[in-house]
Amino acid sequence: MDTPCHDTAMLEENQENDCEQNNSTKEEEVGGFQLKAVVKDGGQVGPVLSVSYCHCETSPACDNLVAVLACNHLTVYDDFHWGDHVAIVAQYVDEGASMVCMAWIPGDLASERHRMSPRIAVAKSDGSVEIVSIIDSKVVSRMEIGEDVAEIAAPGTWGSNGQELLAVRSTQGRVVLWDGSRNECVGRVCEDASAVAWASDGNALFVARQDGSVHMYSMPLKESYQVLGCSGDEIVKKIVPVQSTSSNNKTSLVLSRATCFQLWNLESESYISEWMLKGYKDQAERPCGVNDTHAILGTDDGDGHVFTLEDGAEMCALSVVRVTSEIEAAAISSNSRHLVLAAGNGFLFRFLHNK
């Protein structure tokens, strides 16, 4: 990844144009949400691939940061100060291998200065994963995975074993564990995964497999595994561990399947709720953002539908006005006050709840 690129003139011009556009009309509230900003993601080439808020438990002061990934650049915004303007913390441009996916990761355990500073792991089309330091605005580590990466998973905090473990899933379904501090592969989990996610405390890894089952691996990695009671013929394409009030604030799983999204109770091995968007054959292909209480799903018509996890009820539907394009990515902050929808033409729509 190249040296960070800040096109100040372009960004300031975009900010002024977007501020004028946003201040020209007052948006009506929908379900308590109001459209607060519309900006063009600076330097964007190709569709937005991913949008993600920082949920690192070791860096609670950084949950205002939201990262936007496109094929050639990564931009980090300060959402708390992103009112009717755009506040860019950092931008990284790479004219070489394109970027594929990303994950927020906790700070560097070996560095007192960086211990509380989140970083971002970015997978690239050349089979590598780069660790980007936000505080230093540079790539601090590079891992050669050696195969195409489909997903990177990191916990909210590093586990009790003191290792900085990342789970990397290849497009062929292989899941390997990489120790970011030593820059080496420390274990292989399975060869037929369809999704992977860490428990927030970093002491358990959840892996969905091609037979529709979901397995939990405790750390340090062992050969034995626990099969959760959510197996079936339908493949799970995304896993998001959440702290659900229906499970006494213990870990539950949001599972994305072709027919619907489900919230699963691990103790009872049964689902608590389910939700879906009408008119779509594969629900798992919908852009989705999830926190402990809500989920937002994007549509091809430029809408974002907000659901409550506890009962699967639709809370509201938000429309991205002025620009007609499908939603490519969606994200929701940990407190459910902030929503970001990314349209296919590179526009970002930021909504704020009035609570």
Side-chain angles (χ1 to χ4, degrees):
M1 187 172 291
D2 294 339
T3 304
C5 173
H6 299 272
D7 191 340
T8 305
M10 178 190 69
L11 294 176
E12 288 180 350
E13 181 180 355
N14 285 342
Q15 291 174 16
E16 291 175 359
N17 293 339
D18 291 322
C19 287
E20 291 176 0
Q21 186 179 33
N22 284 318
N23 291 331
S24 62
T25 59
K26 286 288 186 180
E27 302 296 339
E28 295 183 0
E29 289 188 3
V30 178
F33 287 98
Q34 186 178 34
L35 180 63
K36 298 296 292 184
V38 183
V39 300
K40 179 74 171 181
D41 190 26
Q44 188 257 359
V45 175
V48 171
L49 302 175
S50 178
V51 178
S52 178
Y53 279 90
C54 178
H55 294 305
C56 297
E57 295 181 8
T58 54
S59 308
C62 294
D63 60 0
N64 59 305
L65 300 181
V66 57
V68 178
L69 183 74
C71 66
N72 76 324
H73 83 288
L74 169 70
T75 307
V76 179
Y77 297 94
D78 177 356
D79 186 53
F80 283 6
H81 300 92
W82 187 8
D84 293 328
H85 63 282
V86 58
I88 292 183
V89 176
Q91 187 176 74
Y92 305 91
V93 177
D94 190 344
E95 301 298 342
S98 60
M99 304 177 192
V100 178
C101 59
M102 68 174 175
W104 284 97
I105 64 176
D108 186 351
L109 292 175
S111 171
E112 192 65 33
R113 178 171 178 258
H114 295 161
R115 186 177 295 270
M116 304 298 290
S117 300
R119 298 165 292 171
I120 299 178
V122 179
K124 301 173 67 177
S125 59
D126 60 3
S128 65
V129 172
E130 294 180 332
I131 307 300
V132 179
S133 168
I134 302 302
I135 192 173
D136 286 335
S137 298
K138 67 178 183 180
V139 174
V140 294
S141 179
R142 179 183 173 93
M143 296 173 284
E144 297 295 341
I145 307 301
E147 53 188 333
D148 293 338
V149 177
E151 185 177 13
I152 307 171
T157 183
W158 299 124
S160 57
N161 59 8
Q163 292 179 297
E164 298 182 3
L165 294 182
L166 301 178
V168 180
R169 177 174 66 88
S170 73
T171 55
Q172 301 302 313
R174 182 178 296 109
V175 175
V176 296
L177 296 182
W178 280 80
D179 186 338
S181 61
R182 294 187 294 172
N183 196 12
E184 65 180 8
C185 178
V186 296
R188 294 184 179 273
V189 180
C190 68
E191 302 288 329
D192 63 342
S194 59
V196 62
W198 285 95
S200 59
D201 62 6
N203 291 319
L205 181 69
F206 297 99
V207 179
R209 306 181 75 165
Q210 294 294 332
D211 62 358
S213 64
V214 176
H215 301 245
M216 183 175 70
Y217 297 79
S218 59
M219 296 293 123
L221 184 63
K222 299 178 180 179
E223 292 297 329
S224 60
Y225 54 83
Q226 176 183 349
V227 180
L228 306 180
C230 45
S231 60
D233 295 332
E234 263 196 278
I235 296 175
V236 174
K237 297 185 178 180
K238 185 174 183 179
I239 307 174
V240 182
V242 296
Q243 304 301 310
S244 169
T245 55
S246 296
S247 304
N248 297 319
N249 290 322
K250 294 183 179 179
T251 299
S252 299
L253 297 181
V254 173
L255 303 180
S256 171
R257 302 178 187 270
T259 56
C260 65
F261 291 80
Q262 294 179 323
L263 176 64
W264 276 83
N265 185 317
L266 296 183
E267 290 188 341
S268 65
E269 298 188 356
S270 61
Y271 74 89
I272 301 169
S273 63
E274 64 180 25
W275 59 96
M276 67 190 72
L277 287 175
K278 295 180 180 179
Y280 293 95
K281 292 183 178 180
D282 192 342
Q283 298 289 317
E285 296 299 322
R286 294 296 88 211
C288 178
V290 178
N291 64 13
D292 288 343
T293 57
H294 295 86
I296 180 168
L297 305 181
T299 73
D300 291 340
D301 300 322
D303 296 334
H305 294 251
V306 183
F307 298 84
T308 54
L309 299 190
E310 294 304 315
D311 55 12
E314 183 170 338
M315 178 179 170
C316 62
L318 306 173
S319 295
V320 293
V321 298
R322 305 187 184 93
V323 179
T324 302
S325 179
E326 71 276 13
I327 300 301
E328 296 286 354
I332 183 169
S333 64
S334 58
N335 62 7
S336 298
R337 287 203 66 204
H338 306 260
L339 298 176
V340 175
L341 296 173
N345 47 24
F347 280 93
L348 304 176
F349 297 80
R350 185 255 190 174
F351 295 84
L352 177 67
H353 199 273
N354 60 14
K355 69 177 182 179

